[in-house]
Amino acid sequence: MNKGYAVYCDADPYFYDAPHRTAPAPGTGRARYAAASLPVPEGWRRHESGDWLALRPEAAELPDQGWKIHVSACLDNAESVLERVRRYCLDTGTAFKFVPSRYLLHQRNAKYADRAGSGKFLTVYPADEARFERVVGDLAELLAGEPGPRILSDLRIGDGPVHVRYGGFTRRECYDDDGELRPAVAAPDGTLVPDLRGPVFRTPEWVEPPAFLRPHLEARAAVTLTDLPYTVESALHFSNGGGVYLGRDTRTGVKVVLKEARPHAGLAADGADAVTRLERERRALERLSGLDCTPEVLDHFVVGDHHFLVLEHIDGKPLNTFFARRHPLIEADPGEERLAEYTAWALDIHARVERAVAQVHARGIVFNDLHLFNIMVREDDSVALLDFEAAHAIGEPGRQTVANPGFVAPPGRRGPAVDRYALACLRLALFLPLTSLLAVDRRKAAHLADVVARQFPVDRALLDAAVKEITDGTAGTPASGAVVPVEPGDWPRSRASMAAAIHASADLDRTDRLFPGDIAQFATAGGGLAFGHGAAGVLYALAASGAGYAEDELGWLLERTGRLPSGTPLGFHDGVAGIAWTLEYLGQRDRALDLVGILLDQPFDALAADLYGGTAGVGLALDALGAATGDAVLASAALRCAELTARAGSGNAPARPPRAGLLYGAAGRALLFLRLYERTGDTGLLDLAGDALRQDLARCVRGAGGALQVDEGWRTMPYLGAGSVGIGMVLDDYLVHRADDDLARARDEIVAAAQAMFYAQPGLYRGVAGMVLFLARTRATGPGTEPAAVRRQLAAMSWHALSYQGHLAFPGEQMMRLSMDLSTGTAGCLLAVASVYGDPPAALPFLPPLSEDGGPLSRGPLGDREEKEPVGQRREMS
């Protein structure tokens, strides 16, 4: 689970949204600081963006980059620190910005906040290095003795809240070695390079820290673990509050676990920092000493200002890892014996966990954070409970403050009732790990229980008891099917229902996004417009499925693309190329060509070679637009992209972390080469496509039932975006042009990867919708390709389905909120179902449906069937 999604859940009960959009509410800790509402002083400019409110003298001339100052603060002293720094900056004419509310500061310092940005409350911009030294000294004196979390990306000045780092003052961006758009600084020769903002202080290689910083650098380097009787062998986990490490006691050679806590950082919902929670854990575990279901406390100590707890190492594996090892629904046809065997094991594990929780309660402690990741299973199937930082004594007041989203209890639960709720969720999750959906609608528990009862030989009374515990007090708890308004396979009712959910979610008054989607909408400029997670992809899915879009929805995209946000990436899924292609598809050629002009003005050399945001995707868009318009310049630019893409795939390419699959791997490159081969007849391009596909297949391994999946080192991936199914999509097209027994065999083994009974998410690129689209399109023959296999996967999509305003909708990544975007949400699911039932079948860009005999259908200039007319179906909203 990616904990970074949690902070995007507060602003809206149904959709992910930026934290700064969480509505201020007096008395809830979300009201803005008084300084955020003060009038702008004469001669100053004010600008608010995201989490920051900036003030700058109108006459100030700041450099593009240099040494800047960050000030941290705790929740209790933040307003006082802000008032003093604000007054100092106004008096000295120094530009600054600050986080304008207690809520946003809390989120920046929360347990799973970004470690690189943690603690940053104020940023001060000295105009030059001489003033930098003076301002640092003044602020250090002004704030002496004030507590604040250490900012990991910065150098701390003394032991106060003032920190410094070298970086950009103005927003500039460049592509890094992976082709990702990053904040940039200029090297001495003027070349833009990434402005590295990790959880470690560093300076660019050409920057020499000023002499006055030397004592602070030496103080930082002096803090080590070398004098302690423990060695650290590996890191097990990091959070904003500190790390968890596997270590060894050098005196005995025994393995231990060291838990680190940083003061004032890693805040829980009640404001408790990591040190406070570590002390809670120590007290709880000492009270539980002697139980075989909890680790023993061996030691505790402080190094610098970081606190450490040394715990007994329990040899075993977290319960969540057992799904990949033994869950029967990861297979295509597990059989009754396999299902019965797993059911017996799961019920036994649950009973053991229940007994462990009862033992903890008997010692007067509430665990308060029970979930799959905090349960260790030993080789003999005995269990131990880990991570007691949220534990407290039974009867002690207070609500649950740290919890996994799939197991968090309703706000009214207290004490042992919190653990009972988590045990009920665990009973369902052991069979169907989809309890994150309860964060959107707890009534989904009844539907999950229905699915479990159909798939496993489990006593229904056990499931009903779990549902009652989960839904107790939930208003209007319905029969299970009520949270799924219509089955995905019930076409065209499902099309109408998904389209209605998408239209209902649209917010025409917002400027950053039209349709809610993944948190990636907020990660890059123009994310809410783009094909992958923004309006372009949603409008494409509506049009391609035959559902149609509203004129004002298209109007929203046209208005926002009249002046693209500064820094919008160039790629297909993340930026300009995909938006331009979509607008041409929707019949908006003039605006599409305007964007193509922006695209052609940019160098492509620094882009990655992938389909998502790199030269493969840009080249495909330019090739299609060139064919549609007859513009030879665009066709030539597409061939230039192919050259760059081929160079990146050669042995002389810069070293980059290898990735496989359609979006980020060699399969996306192969797709560009294939389409250009079809356009030009150059067999060298077909050779390049074959080489690229073999490169990706070399990253694959055979798993359960011989299914071919991408090996990422710590997991295998079957999915459409970054897994083997995406490779299979392109293999289908390659085999149309050139017979190859080895590649055909690989394609058939990839079909098996699309046959599992359960996938953790519903989305197009990382879930069951991608399997539906692949199976509906492939012309492979044999087991798993028959219509019944497609229908089974369509039925499985309903396991994830929810209702939005009475319409069929699907959750996004991490499944804590609904999504309407193409990559992760309802639009992608709509496209997948339309690939089965659409007339003509819907398809991904550049991957049109294949004919019954395996050959390509005639392709229009945008890579789709010529018969698809009109390109964009318009729908007037009532």
Side-chain angles (χ1 to χ4, degrees):
M1 171 143 323
N2 185 330
K3 305 288 178 54
Y5 278 74
V7 70
Y8 290 85
C9 291
D10 283 355
D12 191 284
Y14 294 104
F15 304 113
Y16 296 120
D17 210 342
H20 71 269
R21 295 189 67 91
T22 302
T28 65
R30 295 179 180 175
R32 288 157 67 90
Y33 294 123
S37 302
L38 292 174
V40 179
E42 185 177 353
W44 287 71
R45 291 199 306 265
R46 168 190 168 119
H47 176 70
E48 193 159 356
S49 176
D51 291 358
W52 294 99
L53 193 161
L55 287 168
R56 176 176 177 171
E58 292 178 351
E61 293 186 9
L62 293 178
D64 289 329
Q65 62 196 53
W67 287 95
K68 55 186 175 181
I69 302 163
H70 288 120
V71 177
S72 66
C74 301
L75 298 180
D76 292 340
N77 70 336
E79 193 140 28
S80 170
V81 167
L82 171 58
E83 177 52 36
R84 280 175 280 168
V85 175
R86 176 183 177 277
R87 176 48 51 197
Y88 172 84
C89 289
L90 293 178
D91 289 346
T92 59
T94 307
F96 70 103
K97 67 180 181 180
F98 62 94
V99 175
S101 75
R102 176 187 174 98
Y103 169 75
L104 289 174
L105 179 61
H106 191 159
Q107 294 303 328
R108 280 188 160 267
N109 290 333
K111 181 176 179 180
Y112 288 106
D114 177 16
R115 292 193 298 146
S118 172
K120 295 176 182 176
F121 175 46
L122 289 120
T123 306
V124 179
Y125 298 95
D128 52 47
E129 196 162 301
R131 275 176 278 193
F132 168 60
E133 181 174 358
R134 183 169 67 251
V135 174
V136 168
D138 290 347
L139 290 179
E141 181 179 351
L142 182 68
L143 302 175
E146 290 289 353
R150 183 186 295 270
I151 300 173
L152 298 177
S153 63
D154 289 25
L155 175 66
R156 190 175 190 177
I157 304 302
D159 58 359
V162 178
H163 302 70
V164 302
R165 73 177 291 267
Y166 187 94
F169 282 24
T170 60
R171 178 171 180 165
R172 293 183 292 177
E173 293 171 314
C174 69
Y175 288 93
D176 65 11
D177 286 343
D178 299 325
E180 299 287 338
L181 203 59
R182 302 293 187 195
V185 291
D189 64 359
T191 304
L192 291 180
V193 298
D195 182 5
L196 300 175
R197 304 181 182 189
V200 176
F201 173 69
R202 67 181 81 186
T203 58
E205 58 184 18
W206 69 86
V207 173
E208 181 69 27
F212 83 93
L213 295 180
R214 189 170 299 119
H216 307 290
L217 288 164
E218 292 170 351
R220 181 186 181 97
V223 179
T224 69
L225 299 177
T226 53
D227 295 332
L228 296 170
Y230 305 102
T231 58
V232 173
E233 297 183 348
S234 63
L236 301 175
H237 174 69
F238 282 112
S239 76
N240 192 26
V244 180
Y245 309 95
L246 178 63
R248 199 171 293 273
D249 189 324
T250 56
R251 298 162 297 188
T252 63
V254 172
K255 281 185 179 180
V256 296
V257 172
L258 295 94
K259 296 193 68 172
E260 174 192 26
R262 301 197 300 121
H264 315 305
L267 305 182
D270 62 350
D273 69 355
V275 172
T276 300
R277 296 199 312 278
L278 195 73
E279 178 59 22
R280 288 176 182 171
E281 179 162 20
R282 183 175 71 85
R283 291 198 306 266
L285 289 176
E286 286 175 346
R287 191 165 174 176
L288 298 169
S289 179
L291 296 180
D292 67 354
C293 62
T294 57
E296 294 292 328
V297 174
L298 304 177
D299 196 3
H300 58 96
F301 57 88
V302 180
V303 175
D305 58 356
H306 289 214
H307 293 236
F308 289 85
L309 185 64
V310 183
L311 300 176
E312 171 195 4
H313 174 260
I314 294 177
D315 194 16
K317 294 186 181 299
L319 181 53
N320 67 292
T321 65
F322 282 80
F323 289 104
R325 296 174 59 188
R326 64 191 304 167
H327 200 286
L329 296 190
I330 65 172
E331 303 170 19
D333 186 16
E336 292 184 6
E337 183 177 346
R338 178 89 168 82
L339 292 166
E341 177 190 9
Y342 178 82
T343 299
W345 177 84
L347 292 176
D348 177 61
I349 289 293
H350 190 272
R352 292 172 185 264
V353 175
E354 277 189 310
R355 288 195 293 271
V357 170
Q359 289 180 286
V360 169
H361 288 179
R363 294 282 184 97
I365 296 293
V366 177
F367 187 17
N368 243 3
D369 193 19
L370 178 71
H371 57 81
L372 293 165
F373 296 77
N374 280 354
I375 300 167
M376 188 69 76
V377 181
R378 301 184 180 94
E379 193 65 32
D380 63 357
D381 279 350
S382 63
V383 302
L385 308 180
L386 305 178
D387 203 355
F388 277 77
E389 65 179 44
H392 62 70
I394 291 178
E396 182 180 325
R399 59 190 176 89
Q400 192 175 21
T401 59
V402 176
N404 180 284
F407 293 78
V408 61
R413 307 286 175 100
R414 295 287 189 275
V418 171
D419 290 344
R420 288 196 299 271
Y421 179 90
L423 284 167
C425 291
L426 179 65
R427 182 169 288 163
L428 296 181
L430 279 165
F431 295 97
L432 203 62
L434 296 177
T435 53
S436 292
L437 298 173
L438 305 181
V440 181
D441 190 345
R442 295 191 193 280
R443 299 175 300 174
K444 182 68 176 178
H447 183 221
L448 297 181
D450 284 347
V451 175
V452 172
R454 287 196 300 267
Q455 300 295 330
F456 294 92
V458 60
D459 183 354
R460 183 61 199 239
L462 293 174
L463 301 176
D464 290 342
V467 171
K468 185 177 186 305
E469 179 67 42
I470 292 167
T471 60
D472 186 34
T474 302
T477 302
S480 58
V483 292
V484 183
V486 57
E487 291 293 322
D490 185 3
W491 189 268
R493 289 181 64 234
S494 60
R495 176 177 63 186
S497 190
M498 284 185 275
I502 292 170
H503 294 309
S505 74
D507 187 343
L508 294 162
D509 294 327
R510 287 184 65 153
T511 59
D512 59 337
R513 76 174 190 198
L514 174 59
F515 303 104
D518 190 70
I519 67 173
Q521 290 184 326
F522 311 108
T524 59
L529 283 63
F531 188 85
H533 300 289
V538 176
L539 293 177
Y540 169 74
L542 288 168
S545 67
Y549 52 82
E551 287 286 359
D552 52 3
E553 292 169 349
L554 176 60
W556 185 96
L557 184 59
L558 289 171
E559 182 179 353
R560 300 300 176 278
T561 53
R563 184 181 178 87
L564 283 175
S566 175
T568 300
L570 303 180
F572 189 87
H573 282 79
D574 63 353
V576 180
I579 300 171
W581 182 92
T582 303
L583 287 172
E584 170 66 21
Y585 181 89
L586 300 177
Q588 304 298 315
R589 177 164 295 177
D590 288 346
R591 180 54 52 78
L593 292 179
D594 289 343
L595 297 183
V596 168
I598 294 172
L599 197 62
L600 294 180
D601 283 342
Q602 304 299 317
F604 299 149
D605 302 65
L607 292 178
D610 59 47
L611 176 62
Y612 183 84
T615 53
V618 172
L620 282 162
L622 290 173
D623 171 61
L625 287 161
T629 61
D631 190 333
V633 172
L634 301 186
S636 177
L639 290 173
R640 167 63 176 158
C641 286
E643 293 173 7
L644 294 170
T645 303
R647 184 187 308 166
S650 70
N652 297 323
R656 289 174 176 165
R659 300 184 75 175
L662 181 65
L663 291 183
Y664 305 103
R669 304 201 299 267
L671 183 58
L672 172 63
F673 300 141
L674 272 174
R675 295 297 167 246
L676 289 177
Y677 160 72
E678 292 169 351
R679 200 81 74 194
T680 66
D682 181 353
T683 57
L685 290 164
L686 193 58
D687 294 338
L688 286 171
D691 291 343
L693 287 166
R694 291 183 185 90
Q695 181 180 330
D696 260 8
L697 289 172
R699 293 284 315 281
C700 294
V701 296
R702 289 173 180 82
L708 203 62
Q709 300 190 32
V710 170
D711 182 7
E712 293 192 337
W714 60 286
R715 63 181 179 182
T716 59
M717 295 288 280
Y719 299 117
L720 177 62
S724 57
V725 162
I727 304 170
M729 291 278 285
V730 186
L731 278 171
D732 268 317
D733 288 53
Y734 178 85
L735 291 168
V736 167
H737 299 292
R738 182 175 286 172
D740 187 301
D741 290 343
D742 290 338
L743 296 185
R745 187 179 308 111
R747 191 266 312 273
D748 292 344
E749 292 171 338
I750 289 171
V751 169
Q755 287 300 299
M757 298 184 68
F758 172 77
Y759 297 96
Q761 300 187 133
L764 185 64
Y765 285 132
R766 279 171 52 88
V768 66
M771 307 306 169
V772 170
L773 189 144
F774 170 63
L775 292 175
R777 180 182 189 271
T778 186
R779 290 299 173 257
T781 58
T785 60
E786 62 277 0
V790 181
R791 288 195 296 270
R792 190 185 73 174
Q793 295 296 34
L794 278 171
M797 285 179 67
S798 71
W799 299 359
H800 305 80
L802 290 163
S803 173
Y804 179 66
Q805 296 189 12
H807 308 301
L808 179 62
F810 289 90
E813 192 78 9
Q814 306 302 309
M815 298 191 300
M816 293 184 281
R817 289 294 184 268
L818 298 174
S819 169
M820 298 299 167
D821 72 26
L822 182 98
S823 292
T824 70
T826 306
C829 293
L830 171 62
L831 191 76
V833 181
S835 74
V836 180
Y837 296 115
D839 182 20
L844 281 173
F846 320 118
L847 284 164
L850 298 172
S851 66
E852 291 301 323
D853 62 2
L857 290 169
S858 59
R859 292 193 302 120
L862 293 189
D864 296 296
R865 290 183 59 166
E866 299 253 6
E867 303 94 297
K868 187 175 290 184
E869 291 290 349
V871 171
Q873 299 183 42
R874 290 156 177 77
R875 172 183 173 276
E876 292 294 339
M877 296 289 285
S878 58

